Amino acid sequence: MNLKSDTHLLTSIALLTVLSSFASGKWFLFEDKEFGFKIEFPEEPTATPQMIDSEIGQLKMNIVMYDASEKGNDDNLLYMTNVTEYPDSLINSDRTDILDKFFRGAIDGAVNNVKGKLLTEEVKNLADYPGREITVDYGQGMAIIRMRLFLINNRAYMLQTITETGKSNNESIHRFMDSFELLK
């Protein structure tokens, strides 16, 4: 081999390495040790822990969000998780008598908050914990909100993406939603 062919080979290998790193789609692994979960975002999200007042008292909440609309190079506009910690005596996944009412209230509240239309709803459990997955039409066909909601002990974990209607079943949505795991 000569220097010219060696240089060409090394350039080709370097190019393939760069291209394969884009194809593998390195995402940012976000871990929340306090609320006990991890999930992948396309880029580093912003976390906003807070206490909110509610009819049942103060609730601890953490919203983690990546606004992809600012960059314009993503299939989705927004990726978000929201964890809310409820009083254990009122809301808990072990209390099977309240589960249907809890999920109905959460789903109807989410749809009404955006003045949307519920398109799909299905049971989507995580291990032995109850959950739901919904899609909501937002803005009369302008966008689709996909949400997974799990009740794990006294914490409600909500995963959400917002995307343009024509892109409502893209791979990034699935990657984000499916990457959610509870920490041991």
Side-chain angles (χ1 to χ4, degrees), residues 79-96:
Y79 298 81
M80 184 177 80
T81 65
N82 179 353
V83 183
T84 305
E85 188 171 274
Y86 292 95
D88 195 44
S89 59
L90 296 177
I91 306 290
N92 192 296
S93 55
D94 291 337
R95 295 205 40 214
T96 57

